[in-house]
Amino acid sequence: MNGIIIGLGYMGKTHLQAYASIPKSRIVGIVDANKAQADLVAKEYGCKSSTSLDSALSTCKEEGTISFVDICLPSPFHREAAITAMDYGADVIIEKPLAVSLDDAIAIVKKAEQLGRRVMIAHVCRFMPQYDYIKNVVKSEKFGKPLFFGAWRQSEVPGWSKDNWLHDRSKSGGTIMDLMIHDIDIANWLFGSPKGFAATEVGHPNHSGCSHVVTTLKYANNAYASIEGGHLMPDGYPFLSGFRLVCEQGAIEWNTVHNKPGSIVEYSKGNAGFVSMENETPANPYLNELNHFIHALETKTPFKVDLQEALLAVETVHNLLASMS
Ligand SMILES: NC(=O)c1ccc[n+]([C@@H]2O[C@H](COP(=O)([O-])OP(=O)(O)OC[C@H]3O[C@@H](n4cnc5c(N)ncnc54)[C@H](O)[C@@H]3O)[C@@H](O)[C@H]2O)c1
């Protein structure tokens, strides 16, 4: 299955490396506004390089049908690339978030419906065994009804994005859209569509895109989620994420720093136990995600991240932002 990747920054390179170990996929073209960078990477991976998606779609034709386009551009450019790819006739995977503005998100969804194209949003946490585990705990009611999902995700002030687009809220949507949407999507995946929204934000003095945010989401089944996220931690702070799921008869905790690698902790009936996740799936969640995307295209089976769910995540962020004003 032939594909093109557009946007060869941090995520584009991560995806490119992952496809190299997925036998059913072949990246035939890469696109980046930075020509020198695109040429260098294309040489290394034996594919064609372009500075626009239109020209990549036409120059890569000789390699055969282009089945998919993988969009790893800064978030405000997702819409234009997704529409170009779908108009050409390709299916699409887009890095999270689906889009920054609701208009862009809805336009992508409508285009996919109108043309019958398949679009998956790369909400990578769904491809990590720890999150899969709690999804099954909630679904099976292993510990009774779920009451609360708390999640947190913190990093240094981002210094890695091209021209610091992550520092500008008008481009990234801010910390809540760029970073916290990972956990917001998981909360919705566990509990459904939220009905109540509250958020408090402390901003960075110089960078509108970076803040520390605490949110509460209320769900119809009387479950609550509280998501905390921040781009304000000092230099040297290790990227940290984790969660706590509290149910009627048990609780589960996990985080990236303090737990045994690959394990979660379950507390129930007076006992605490580590549950290893190490043998669940290969350790690289991006590889799991892209393997799933290619497999679902090939077998015409549903994506684990439904496009309406990705739209719900963007709508939830906008509702939380509205609750602050
Ligand atoms: N899933 C995750 O864990 C995760 C992590 C980081 C970023 N992301 C998402 O991935 C996307 C990309 O983020 P990133 O961190 O890789 O960004 P980045 O700044 O590292 O890279 C963006 C790349 O796109 C190129 N580019 C910019 N505008 C372009 C255009 N119009 N045409 C062609 N190329 C263009 C830039 O030259 C750069 O190489 C964003 O949507 C972001 O939210 C997801």
Side-chain angles (χ1 to χ4, degrees):
M1 205 169 269
N2 292 335
I4 290 174
I5 299 181
I6 174 162
L8 277 191
Y10 173 67
M11 279 323 295
K13 285 180 190 149
T14 303
H15 284 204
L16 187 58
Q17 277 162 10
Y19 285 118
S21 47
I22 303 176
K24 297 265 168 73
S25 70
R26 188 168 76 109
I27 298 302
V28 293
I30 54 175
V31 183
D32 199 282
N34 179 337
K35 185 172 177 342
Q37 166 162 300
D39 287 348
L40 199 69
V41 178
K43 202 168 166 198
E44 189 185 340
Y45 282 85
C47 51
K48 292 188 188 333
S49 88
S50 307
T51 52
S52 80
L53 184 54
D54 276 323
S55 81
L57 287 165
S58 83
T59 55
C60 290
K61 261 186 196 151
E62 61 202 52
E63 302 290 337
T65 307
I66 306 300
S67 303
F68 68 95
V69 172
D70 183 331
I71 300 170
C72 292
L73 290 171
S75 310
F77 305 131
H78 289 180
R79 174 182 181 166
E80 188 186 340
I83 303 278
T84 302
M86 286 190 271
D87 277 337
Y88 167 88
D91 293 321
V92 180
I93 179 163
I94 310 175
E95 255 310 332
K96 51 52 57 182
L98 165 57
V100 173
S101 77
L102 264 179
D103 273 0
D104 282 5
I106 290 165
I108 294 171
V109 172
K110 280 200 171 143
K111 191 71 165 183
E113 285 169 358
Q114 183 196 336
L115 296 180
R117 299 261 55 98
R118 303 196 62 194
V119 179
M120 184 176 116
I121 307 308
H123 280 292
V124 69
C125 292
R126 295 204 192 190
F127 299 89
M128 295 173 65
Q130 293 84 359
Y131 294 91
D132 243 344
Y133 190 87
I134 54 171
K135 170 73 176 165
N136 286 329
V137 165
V138 168
K139 199 171 163 199
S140 66
E141 298 197 353
K142 175 179 175 180
F143 294 132
K145 295 223 175 307
L147 305 172
F148 173 79
F149 174 67
W152 49 93
R153 191 170 294 269
Q154 266 105 36
S155 87
E156 301 171 351
V157 176
W160 52 85
S161 60
K162 176 93 173 108
D163 301 327
N164 280 331
W165 64 272
L166 283 176
H167 289 187
D168 182 345
R169 181 186 288 253
S170 70
K171 294 181 179 155
S172 69
T175 294
I176 189 165
M177 180 67 86
D178 182 72
L179 186 69
M180 296 169 69
I181 198 162
H182 285 292
D183 300 302
I184 288 168
D185 172 63
I186 294 293
N188 292 348
W189 191 40
L190 296 176
F191 296 156
S193 187
K195 307 295 172 208
F197 307 84
T200 309
E201 180 171 47
V202 179
H204 189 285
N206 305 319
H207 307 314
S208 65
C210 304
S211 62
H212 193 103
V213 187
V214 180
T215 70
T216 308
L217 293 166
K218 183 178 187 229
Y219 291 84
N221 47 7
N222 243 359
Y224 282 84
S226 173
I227 317 277
E228 180 180 359
H231 271 145
L232 295 188
M233 299 308 279
D235 284 356
Y237 185 84
F239 181 86
L240 187 148
S241 61
F243 62 70
R244 175 176 299 119
L245 175 72
V246 183
C247 303
E248 289 170 323
Q249 292 131 31
I252 297 177
E253 287 187 348
W254 173 74
N255 71 57
T256 46
V257 175
H258 301 299
N259 284 7
K260 285 184 191 175
S263 295
I264 61 172
V265 200
E266 278 186 351
Y267 302 89
S268 177
K269 297 181 183 154
N271 297 316
F274 281 94
V275 183
S276 173
M277 298 280 120
E278 275 170 357
N279 297 325
E280 295 293 317
T281 45
N284 179 347
Y286 300 107
L287 178 56
N288 299 341
E289 170 189 87
L290 297 173
N291 242 324
H292 165 82
F293 172 68
I294 296 296
H295 179 75
L297 286 187
E298 225 198 339
T299 54
K300 299 186 177 14
T301 47
F303 293 136
K304 192 171 183 179
V305 187
D306 183 84
L307 190 51
Q308 288 297 335
E309 293 175 328
L311 177 59
L312 178 65
V314 175
E315 286 169 345
T316 304
V317 169
H318 281 277
N319 282 324
L320 286 167
L321 289 169
S323 80
M324 289 190 227
S325 52

